Amino acid sequence: MAEKIIMLGDARSPSPAIPAILEAPTGLLGDALGRPLHDLRISVTDRCNFRCVYCMPKEVFDKDYAYLPHTALLSFEEITRIARLFVAHGVEKIRLTGGEPLLRKNLEKLVGMLSALRTPSGAALDLTLTTNGSLLAKKAQSLKDAGLNRVTVSLDALDDATFKRMNDVDFAVGDVLEGIAAAHRAGLGPIKINMVVKAGMNDQEILPMARHFKGGPAILRFIEYMDVGASNGWNLAEVIPSAEVVRRIAAEMPLDPVGANYAGETAARWRYADGSGEIGLISSVTQAFCKDCSRARLSTEGKLYTCLFATRGHDLRALLRDGRSDAEISNAVAQLWRVRADRYSETRTINTSGIERGDKKVEMSYIGG
Ligand code: SAM
Ligand code: SF4
Ligand code: SF4
Protein backbone atom coordinates (compact mmCIF):
# COMPACT_ATOMS: atom_id res chain seq x y z
CA MET A 1 0.00 0.00 0.00
CA ALA A 2 2.91 2.36 0.58
CA GLU A 3 3.64 2.39 -3.14
CA LYS A 4 0.08 3.43 -3.87
CA ILE A 5 0.22 6.59 -1.76
CA ILE A 6 3.64 7.56 -3.06
CA MET A 7 2.50 7.04 -6.62
CA LEU A 8 -0.58 9.18 -6.06
CA GLY A 9 1.52 11.85 -4.42
CA ASP A 10 4.21 12.03 -7.06
CA ALA A 11 3.33 10.74 -10.53
CA ARG A 12 -0.30 11.85 -10.34
CA SER A 13 0.12 15.11 -8.48
CA PRO A 14 2.17 17.48 -10.55
CA SER A 15 3.15 20.81 -9.15
CA PRO A 16 0.64 23.37 -10.53
CA ALA A 17 1.83 25.84 -13.13
CA ILE A 18 2.20 29.48 -12.12
CA PRO A 19 0.49 31.86 -14.60
CA ALA A 20 2.73 34.43 -16.26
CA ILE A 21 0.46 37.33 -15.29
CA LEU A 22 -0.46 37.51 -11.62
CA GLU A 23 -3.85 38.98 -10.72
CA ALA A 24 -5.35 39.93 -7.37
CA PRO A 25 -8.13 37.59 -6.15
CA THR A 26 -11.66 38.91 -6.70
CA GLY A 27 -13.49 36.51 -4.38
CA LEU A 28 -15.63 35.56 -7.36
CA LEU A 29 -13.80 32.63 -8.90
CA GLY A 30 -15.90 30.36 -11.15
CA ASP A 31 -14.97 26.98 -12.64
CA ALA A 32 -15.57 25.77 -16.23
CA LEU A 33 -19.20 24.96 -15.32
CA GLY A 34 -19.74 28.30 -13.56
CA ARG A 35 -19.48 26.85 -10.05
CA PRO A 36 -17.97 29.11 -7.35
CA LEU A 37 -15.29 28.06 -4.86
CA HIS A 38 -17.11 28.23 -1.51
CA ASP A 39 -16.04 25.25 0.56
CA LEU A 40 -12.66 23.87 1.50
CA ARG A 41 -12.27 20.48 3.18
CA ILE A 42 -8.94 19.96 4.81
CA SER A 43 -7.67 16.52 5.75
CA VAL A 44 -5.39 16.87 8.77
CA THR A 45 -4.34 13.23 9.06
CA ASP A 46 -4.55 10.03 7.02
CA ARG A 47 -4.69 7.95 10.21
CA CYS A 48 -7.75 6.67 12.02
CA ASN A 49 -8.53 4.64 15.12
CA PHE A 50 -11.53 3.00 13.36
CA ARG A 51 -11.48 0.55 10.48
CA CYS A 52 -14.93 1.21 9.00
CA VAL A 53 -15.55 -1.51 6.46
CA TYR A 54 -16.64 0.99 3.79
CA CYS A 55 -13.66 3.32 4.26
CA MET A 56 -10.53 1.74 5.76
CA PRO A 57 -11.08 -2.02 5.59
CA LYS A 58 -8.71 -3.94 7.87
CA GLU A 59 -7.40 -6.15 5.07
CA VAL A 60 -5.96 -3.07 3.34
CA PHE A 61 -5.25 -0.73 6.26
CA ASP A 62 -3.38 -3.32 8.33
CA LYS A 63 -0.31 -3.03 10.56
CA ASP A 64 1.98 -2.88 7.52
CA TYR A 65 0.11 0.00 5.90
CA ALA A 66 2.49 2.91 5.32
CA TYR A 67 0.89 6.12 6.52
CA LEU A 68 2.42 9.46 5.64
CA PRO A 69 5.48 10.40 7.67
CA HIS A 70 5.11 13.50 9.84
CA THR A 71 7.34 15.60 7.54
CA ALA A 72 4.97 14.95 4.63
CA LEU A 73 2.04 16.50 6.49
CA LEU A 74 1.25 20.16 6.01
CA SER A 75 2.12 22.08 9.17
CA PHE A 76 -0.57 24.21 10.82
CA GLU A 77 1.16 27.31 9.43
CA GLU A 78 1.10 25.84 5.90
CA ILE A 79 -2.57 24.86 6.20
CA THR A 80 -3.52 28.30 7.45
CA ARG A 81 -1.59 30.02 4.66
CA ILE A 82 -3.36 27.97 1.99
CA ALA A 83 -6.71 28.47 3.71
CA ARG A 84 -6.17 32.23 3.72
CA LEU A 85 -5.53 32.22 -0.04
CA PHE A 86 -8.69 30.15 -0.61
CA VAL A 87 -10.74 32.52 1.55
CA ALA A 88 -9.60 35.41 -0.66
CA HIS A 89 -11.01 33.44 -3.62
CA GLY A 90 -14.44 33.12 -2.02
CA VAL A 91 -14.26 30.22 0.45
CA GLU A 92 -16.60 30.85 3.38
CA LYS A 93 -16.75 27.40 4.92
CA ILE A 94 -13.89 25.18 6.08
CA ARG A 95 -14.35 21.61 7.26
CA LEU A 96 -11.55 19.71 8.99
CA THR A 97 -11.57 16.01 8.28
CA GLY A 98 -9.32 13.02 7.73
CA GLY A 99 -8.75 10.11 8.65
CA GLU A 100 -9.84 10.97 12.15
CA PRO A 101 -9.08 14.68 12.60
CA LEU A 102 -9.11 14.53 16.40
CA LEU A 103 -6.04 12.25 16.24
CA ARG A 104 -3.96 15.19 14.96
CA LYS A 105 -1.99 16.52 17.91
CA ASN A 106 -2.89 20.03 19.13
CA LEU A 107 -5.71 20.36 16.61
CA GLU A 108 -7.16 23.12 18.79
CA LYS A 109 -4.18 25.26 17.79
CA LEU A 110 -5.08 24.90 14.09
CA VAL A 111 -8.73 25.63 14.88
CA GLY A 112 -7.63 28.83 16.61
CA MET A 113 -5.51 29.88 13.63
CA LEU A 114 -8.28 29.20 11.10
CA SER A 115 -10.97 30.86 13.17
CA ALA A 116 -8.99 34.11 13.03
CA LEU A 117 -9.35 34.25 9.21
CA ARG A 118 -11.88 36.67 7.73
CA THR A 119 -13.61 36.76 4.34
CA PRO A 120 -12.99 39.79 2.06
CA SER A 121 -16.15 41.36 3.54
CA GLY A 122 -14.81 40.87 7.07
CA ALA A 123 -17.04 37.95 8.11
CA ALA A 124 -15.85 35.01 10.20
CA LEU A 125 -15.73 31.61 8.49
CA ASP A 126 -18.12 28.74 9.07
CA LEU A 127 -15.59 26.42 10.70
CA THR A 128 -16.61 22.84 11.24
CA LEU A 129 -15.22 19.34 11.66
CA THR A 130 -16.27 15.78 10.82
CA THR A 131 -15.35 13.17 13.42
CA ASN A 132 -16.08 9.58 14.37
CA GLY A 133 -16.79 10.96 17.85
CA SER A 134 -14.40 8.66 19.71
CA LEU A 135 -12.42 11.53 21.25
CA LEU A 136 -15.16 14.12 21.25
CA ALA A 137 -16.23 13.76 24.90
CA LYS A 138 -12.69 14.76 25.85
CA LYS A 139 -12.18 17.49 23.25
CA ALA A 140 -15.52 19.19 22.58
CA GLN A 141 -15.05 22.07 25.02
CA SER A 142 -11.45 22.86 24.04
CA LEU A 143 -12.43 22.84 20.34
CA LYS A 144 -15.27 25.24 21.04
CA ASP A 145 -12.99 27.47 23.08
CA ALA A 146 -10.52 27.51 20.19
CA GLY A 147 -13.21 28.82 17.81
CA LEU A 148 -14.82 25.76 16.20
CA ASN A 149 -18.47 26.50 15.30
CA ARG A 150 -19.97 23.03 14.97
CA VAL A 151 -19.34 19.33 14.40
CA THR A 152 -20.65 16.50 12.26
CA VAL A 153 -20.42 13.12 13.99
CA SER A 154 -20.47 9.85 12.09
CA LEU A 155 -22.58 7.11 13.65
CA ASP A 156 -23.77 4.14 11.62
CA ALA A 157 -25.95 2.27 14.12
CA LEU A 158 -27.46 2.39 17.60
CA ASP A 159 -27.13 -1.32 18.07
CA ASP A 160 -23.71 -2.08 19.56
CA ALA A 161 -23.10 -5.31 17.67
CA THR A 162 -23.91 -3.69 14.32
CA PHE A 163 -21.84 -0.60 15.07
CA LYS A 164 -18.88 -2.72 16.12
CA ARG A 165 -19.15 -4.72 12.91
CA MET A 166 -19.01 -1.47 10.96
CA ASN A 167 -16.15 0.24 12.82
CA ASP A 168 -14.34 -3.10 13.14
CA VAL A 169 -12.38 -2.03 16.24
CA ASP A 170 -14.98 -2.92 18.90
CA PHE A 171 -15.86 0.72 19.64
CA ALA A 172 -19.14 1.06 21.55
CA VAL A 173 -22.10 3.26 20.55
CA GLY A 174 -22.38 4.69 24.07
CA ASP A 175 -19.01 6.39 23.80
CA VAL A 176 -20.01 8.17 20.57
CA LEU A 177 -23.32 9.24 22.14
CA GLU A 178 -21.33 10.69 25.06
CA GLY A 179 -19.23 12.63 22.56
CA ILE A 180 -22.36 13.98 20.89
CA ALA A 181 -23.76 15.05 24.28
CA ALA A 182 -20.48 16.79 25.13
CA ALA A 183 -20.52 18.63 21.78
CA HIS A 184 -24.06 19.72 22.50
CA ARG A 185 -23.14 20.99 25.98
CA ALA A 186 -20.19 22.89 24.52
CA GLY A 187 -22.46 24.63 21.98
CA LEU A 188 -20.96 22.99 18.87
CA GLY A 189 -24.28 23.03 17.08
CA PRO A 190 -26.32 22.47 15.08
CA ILE A 191 -24.78 19.00 15.29
CA LYS A 192 -25.19 16.74 12.30
CA ILE A 193 -25.04 12.95 12.52
CA ASN A 194 -23.84 11.08 9.42
CA MET A 195 -25.03 7.51 8.93
CA VAL A 196 -23.63 5.64 5.92
CA VAL A 197 -26.20 3.01 4.93
CA LYS A 198 -24.83 -0.24 3.56
CA ALA A 199 -27.40 -2.83 2.50
CA GLY A 200 -27.35 -5.99 4.56
CA MET A 201 -24.98 -4.40 7.09
CA ASN A 202 -26.84 -1.63 8.91
CA ASP A 203 -30.01 -0.82 6.94
CA GLN A 204 -32.07 -2.38 9.73
CA GLU A 205 -30.79 0.52 11.87
CA ILE A 206 -32.44 3.24 9.72
CA LEU A 207 -35.61 3.30 11.82
CA PRO A 208 -33.98 2.99 15.27
CA MET A 209 -31.60 5.84 14.35
CA ALA A 210 -34.48 8.00 13.06
CA ARG A 211 -36.52 7.35 16.22
CA HIS A 212 -33.54 8.11 18.47
CA PHE A 213 -32.64 11.49 16.94
CA LYS A 214 -36.20 12.64 16.14
CA GLY A 215 -37.12 15.63 18.27
CA GLY A 216 -33.55 16.10 19.52
CA PRO A 217 -31.08 18.88 18.74
CA ALA A 218 -28.99 16.89 16.23
CA ILE A 219 -29.91 16.47 12.54
CA LEU A 220 -29.55 12.91 11.27
CA ARG A 221 -28.34 12.52 7.68
CA PHE A 222 -28.39 9.29 5.73
CA ILE A 223 -25.54 8.86 3.25
CA GLU A 224 -25.66 6.52 0.29
CA TYR A 225 -22.72 4.14 0.37
CA MET A 226 -20.30 5.50 -2.26
CA ASP A 227 -17.65 4.08 -4.52
CA VAL A 228 -14.90 6.28 -3.10
CA GLY A 229 -11.32 5.07 -3.17
CA ALA A 230 -10.19 1.71 -4.43
CA SER A 231 -10.30 -0.37 -1.24
CA ASN A 232 -13.89 -0.88 -0.19
CA GLY A 233 -14.94 -3.31 -2.94
CA TRP A 234 -18.00 -1.17 -3.71
CA ASN A 235 -20.98 -2.81 -5.32
CA LEU A 236 -24.14 -1.00 -6.46
CA ALA A 237 -26.28 -3.74 -4.92
CA GLU A 238 -25.10 -2.60 -1.47
CA VAL A 239 -26.48 0.92 -1.95
CA ILE A 240 -29.87 1.67 -0.39
CA PRO A 241 -31.27 4.57 -2.44
CA SER A 242 -32.27 7.62 -0.38
CA ALA A 243 -35.81 7.33 -1.78
CA GLU A 244 -36.05 3.95 -0.04
CA VAL A 245 -34.76 5.41 3.25
CA VAL A 246 -37.44 8.12 3.08
CA ARG A 247 -40.09 5.52 2.24
CA ARG A 248 -39.19 3.36 5.25
CA ILE A 249 -39.14 6.28 7.70
CA ALA A 250 -42.25 7.99 6.32
CA ALA A 251 -44.25 4.77 6.68
CA GLU A 252 -43.91 5.16 10.45
CA MET A 253 -43.13 8.87 10.89
CA PRO A 254 -44.64 11.02 8.07
CA LEU A 255 -42.22 13.37 6.30
CA ASP A 256 -42.55 16.44 4.05
CA PRO A 257 -39.84 17.70 1.70
CA VAL A 258 -38.15 21.01 2.57
CA GLY A 259 -36.34 23.39 0.19
CA ALA A 260 -32.55 23.72 0.31
CA ASN A 261 -30.96 26.27 2.67
CA TYR A 262 -28.54 27.35 -0.05
CA ALA A 263 -27.36 26.33 -3.54
CA GLY A 264 -24.84 23.52 -3.32
CA GLU A 265 -26.28 22.02 -0.12
CA THR A 266 -25.36 18.34 -0.29
CA ALA A 267 -28.29 17.00 1.73
CA ALA A 268 -31.91 16.96 0.57
CA ARG A 269 -34.02 17.87 3.61
CA TRP A 270 -37.21 16.27 4.88
CA ARG A 271 -39.20 17.52 7.87
CA TYR A 272 -41.29 15.38 10.22
CA ALA A 273 -44.94 16.26 9.65
CA ASP A 274 -45.50 16.42 13.44
CA GLY A 275 -42.97 19.27 13.72
CA SER A 276 -40.30 17.29 15.56
CA GLY A 277 -37.33 18.24 13.41
CA GLU A 278 -35.82 17.12 10.13
CA ILE A 279 -33.52 14.61 8.46
CA GLY A 280 -31.12 14.91 5.52
CA LEU A 281 -30.42 12.55 2.62
CA ILE A 282 -27.08 12.61 0.83
CA SER A 283 -27.66 10.81 -2.45
CA SER A 284 -24.43 11.01 -4.33
CA VAL A 285 -25.16 7.72 -6.10
CA THR A 286 -28.83 8.01 -7.07
CA GLN A 287 -29.10 11.79 -7.33
CA ALA A 288 -25.84 13.46 -8.15
CA PHE A 289 -25.43 17.04 -6.98
CA CYS A 290 -22.39 17.98 -9.08
CA LYS A 291 -24.02 20.94 -10.75
CA ASP A 292 -23.76 23.01 -7.57
CA CYS A 293 -20.57 21.46 -6.20
CA SER A 294 -18.41 24.26 -4.80
CA ARG A 295 -16.02 22.08 -2.78
CA ALA A 296 -12.25 21.82 -3.01
CA ARG A 297 -10.31 19.29 -0.97
CA LEU A 298 -6.83 19.58 0.46
CA SER A 299 -5.16 16.27 1.28
CA THR A 300 -3.05 15.68 4.38
CA GLU A 301 0.12 16.28 2.38
CA GLY A 302 -1.13 19.37 0.59
CA LYS A 303 -2.51 18.07 -2.69
CA LEU A 304 -5.53 19.93 -4.02
CA TYR A 305 -8.37 17.73 -5.32
CA THR A 306 -11.21 19.34 -7.23
CA CYS A 307 -13.48 16.29 -6.84
CA LEU A 308 -13.94 13.57 -4.22
CA PHE A 309 -13.51 11.00 -6.96
CA ALA A 310 -10.45 12.52 -8.60
CA THR A 311 -7.59 10.29 -9.65
CA ARG A 312 -5.00 13.06 -9.40
CA GLY A 313 -4.28 16.01 -7.16
CA HIS A 314 -2.25 19.18 -7.55
CA ASP A 315 0.77 19.57 -5.33
CA LEU A 316 0.33 22.84 -3.47
CA ARG A 317 2.85 21.76 -0.83
CA ALA A 318 5.56 21.81 -3.51
CA LEU A 319 4.75 25.46 -4.18
CA LEU A 320 4.80 26.29 -0.47
CA ARG A 321 8.09 24.53 0.13
CA ASP A 322 9.66 25.97 -3.06
CA GLY A 323 9.29 29.42 -1.54
CA ARG A 324 6.57 30.62 -3.92
CA SER A 325 4.84 33.87 -3.00
CA ASP A 326 1.19 34.17 -1.93
CA ALA A 327 0.39 35.80 -5.28
CA GLU A 328 1.95 32.92 -7.20
CA ILE A 329 0.16 30.21 -5.22
CA SER A 330 -3.12 32.09 -5.31
CA ASN A 331 -2.94 32.45 -9.10
CA ALA A 332 -2.00 28.79 -9.54
CA VAL A 333 -5.11 27.83 -7.54
CA ALA A 334 -7.29 30.22 -9.56
CA GLN A 335 -5.99 28.74 -12.80
CA LEU A 336 -6.81 25.19 -11.59
CA TRP A 337 -10.31 26.14 -10.46
CA ARG A 338 -11.13 27.98 -13.71
CA VAL A 339 -10.63 24.80 -15.76
CA ARG A 340 -12.39 22.49 -13.27
CA ALA A 341 -15.05 20.44 -15.05
CA ASP A 342 -15.44 17.50 -12.59
CA ARG A 343 -18.86 15.93 -12.28
CA TYR A 344 -18.03 12.34 -11.45
CA SER A 345 -21.31 11.41 -9.77
CA GLU A 346 -23.27 12.56 -12.81
CA THR A 347 -21.17 10.37 -15.08
CA ARG A 348 -20.56 7.48 -12.68
CA THR A 349 -20.95 4.64 -15.16
CA ILE A 350 -18.38 6.01 -17.58
CA ASN A 351 -15.95 6.76 -14.78
CA THR A 352 -16.38 3.41 -13.16
CA SER A 353 -15.37 1.72 -16.40
CA GLY A 354 -12.36 4.09 -16.45
CA ILE A 355 -11.43 2.86 -12.99
CA GLU A 356 -11.61 -0.70 -14.22
CA ARG A 357 -8.97 0.24 -16.75
CA GLY A 358 -6.64 1.05 -13.87
CA ASP A 359 -7.05 4.73 -12.91
CA LYS A 360 -7.12 4.43 -9.11
CA LYS A 361 -9.23 6.96 -7.22
CA VAL A 362 -7.76 8.36 -4.02
CA GLU A 363 -8.92 6.97 -0.68
CA MET A 364 -11.53 8.82 1.36
CA SER A 365 -9.27 8.59 4.42
CA TYR A 366 -6.54 10.38 2.43
CA ILE A 367 -8.49 13.39 1.14
CA GLY A 368 -11.29 13.35 3.68
CA GLY A 369 -15.04 13.06 3.18
N1 SAM B 1 -13.16 9.98 10.52
C1 SAM B 1 -14.13 11.00 10.41
C2 SAM B 1 -15.53 10.43 10.38
O1 SAM B 1 -15.67 9.23 10.18
O2 SAM B 1 -16.46 11.21 10.56
C3 SAM B 1 -13.91 11.94 9.25
C4 SAM B 1 -13.47 11.35 7.93
S1 SAM B 1 -14.65 10.28 7.13
C5 SAM B 1 -13.75 9.81 5.70
C6 SAM B 1 -15.88 11.44 6.59
C7 SAM B 1 -17.23 10.88 6.26
O3 SAM B 1 -17.12 10.05 5.13
C8 SAM B 1 -17.85 10.03 7.34
O4 SAM B 1 -19.13 10.51 7.67
C9 SAM B 1 -17.94 8.66 6.71
O5 SAM B 1 -19.02 7.94 7.18
C10 SAM B 1 -18.04 9.00 5.25
N2 SAM B 1 -17.64 7.90 4.36
C11 SAM B 1 -16.48 7.22 4.36
N3 SAM B 1 -16.47 6.26 3.40
C12 SAM B 1 -17.66 6.36 2.77
C13 SAM B 1 -18.28 5.67 1.68
N4 SAM B 1 -17.67 4.68 1.06
N5 SAM B 1 -19.51 6.04 1.29
C14 SAM B 1 -20.15 7.05 1.92
N6 SAM B 1 -19.64 7.75 2.93
C15 SAM B 1 -18.41 7.41 3.37
FE1 SF4 C 1 -12.03 6.39 10.08
FE2 SF4 C 1 -13.95 8.05 9.40
FE3 SF4 C 1 -13.01 6.31 7.61
FE4 SF4 C 1 -14.43 5.40 9.65
S1 SF4 C 1 -15.16 6.77 8.02
S2 SF4 C 1 -12.47 4.56 8.93
S3 SF4 C 1 -13.89 6.78 11.25
S4 SF4 C 1 -11.90 7.97 8.51
FE1 SF4 D 1 -18.51 17.42 -6.42
FE2 SF4 D 1 -17.13 15.48 -7.61
FE3 SF4 D 1 -18.98 14.88 -5.75
FE4 SF4 D 1 -19.73 15.80 -8.17
S1 SF4 D 1 -18.69 13.88 -7.73
S2 SF4 D 1 -20.52 16.46 -6.16
S3 SF4 D 1 -18.07 17.24 -8.61
S4 SF4 D 1 -17.06 16.04 -5.42
Side-chain angles (χ1 to χ4, degrees):
M1 292 314 296
E3 292 80 8
K4 182 163 77 184
I5 291 298
I6 289 163
M7 180 184 69
L8 287 169
D10 299 338
R12 294 204 186 150
S13 299
S15 182
I18 310 280
I21 299 170
L22 302 182
E23 295 168 1
T26 60
L28 296 169
L29 202 54
D31 73 6
L33 304 176
R35 298 169 296 187
L37 173 54
H38 272 167
D39 304 60
L40 179 63
R41 298 196 175 185
I42 303 174
S43 172
V44 294
T45 177
D46 59 339
R47 291 163 199 257
C48 189
N49 51 349
F50 283 16
R51 286 293 173 275
C52 300
V53 291
Y54 51 76
C55 179
M56 296 180 76
K58 254 184 186 161
E59 315 81 74
V60 177
F61 295 86
D62 57 15
K63 64 175 179 22
D64 298 325
Y65 186 84
Y67 294 96
L68 296 169
H70 193 72
T71 50
L73 271 51
L74 289 186
S75 67
F76 290 167
E77 287 71 21
E78 288 173 323
I79 292 174
T80 307
R81 185 173 168 209
I82 291 183
R84 185 164 43 77
L85 300 178
F86 272 78
V87 169
H89 279 311
V91 162
E92 294 171 347
K93 177 172 162 186
I94 291 185
R95 176 178 299 279
L96 300 178
T97 178
E100 173 46 43
L102 299 187
L103 290 182
R104 179 83 186 248
K105 233 169 130 191
N106 301 324
L107 189 73
E108 294 84 346
K109 184 171 170 222
L110 176 65
V111 168
M113 291 161 78
L114 294 174
S115 73
L117 297 177
R118 291 292 174 267
T119 68
S121 64
L125 299 177
D126 180 9
L127 186 57
T128 176
L129 173 149
T130 304
T131 173
N132 63 24
S134 58
L135 298 168
L136 198 52
K138 213 162 66 190
K139 294 196 167 230
Q141 190 60 52
S142 58
L143 288 165
K144 176 69 183 178
D145 294 345
L148 191 72
N149 298 125
R150 54 199 180 84
V151 288
T152 296
V153 183
S154 303
L155 178 63
D156 295 328
L158 275 184
D159 170 63
D160 243 341
T162 309
F163 185 54
K164 287 179 178 178
R165 262 202 310 281
M166 294 216 49
N167 66 51
D168 220 5
V169 293
D170 225 27
F171 201 85
V173 172
D175 296 338
V176 179
L177 294 178
E178 247 176 57
I180 295 169
H184 184 60
R185 280 195 303 276
L188 286 169
I191 299 171
K192 291 179 181 155
I193 310 294
N194 277 357
M195 172 179 177
V196 175
V197 182
K198 192 172 175 198
M201 187 102 196
N202 67 335
D203 60 305
Q204 74 287 359
E205 287 290 298
I206 293 171
L207 279 170
M209 286 282 286
R211 289 182 200 120
H212 180 85
F213 288 103
K214 182 173 185 278
I219 300 171
L220 176 60
R221 301 168 348 146
F222 298 90
I223 305 182
E224 287 178 348
Y225 171 45
M226 291 187 289
D227 50 332
V228 280
S231 303
N232 65 10
W234 185 82
N235 177 348
L236 185 59
E238 290 169 328
V239 177
I240 304 266
S242 291
E244 168 65 11
V245 174
V246 169
R247 195 193 60 74
R248 287 195 202 177
I249 296 173
E252 177 181 316
M253 299 167 269
L255 288 164
D256 298 317
V258 191
N261 277 327
Y262 53 89
E265 191 171 38
T266 45
R269 301 164 59 209
W270 290 76
R271 188 175 290 142
Y272 289 110
D274 67 3
S276 57
E278 65 179 69
I279 58 167
L281 283 302
I282 300 179
S283 320
S284 65
V285 178
T286 62
Q287 252 186 322
F289 36 80
C290 302
K291 77 173 172 35
D292 290 320
C293 179
S294 54
R295 284 177 295 281
R297 292 177 159 83
L298 187 64
S299 80
T300 315
E301 53 179 342
K303 311 282 197 281
L304 173 66
Y305 287 85
T306 55
C307 177
L308 178 56
F309 298 92
T311 52
R312 53 172 265 186
H314 306 275
D315 191 358
L316 297 187
R317 189 190 65 190
L319 300 184
L320 292 172
R321 295 189 184 174
D322 276 357
R324 295 297 189 163
S325 68
D326 282 357
E328 287 175 316
I329 300 171
S330 167
N331 276 268
V333 167
Q335 183 159 272
L336 289 171
W337 194 263
R338 282 194 194 102
V339 298
R340 172 185 188 250
D342 305 274
R343 48 188 201 96
Y344 175 88
S345 287
E346 288 179 352
T347 58
R348 180 167 262 105
T349 322
I350 305 161
N351 280 309
T352 301
S353 47
I355 301 307
E356 280 158 10
R357 287 197 304 271
D359 271 355
K360 282 220 164 67
K361 293 172 288 183
V362 283
E363 297 298 336
M364 187 88 146
S365 52
Y366 170 75
I367 56 169

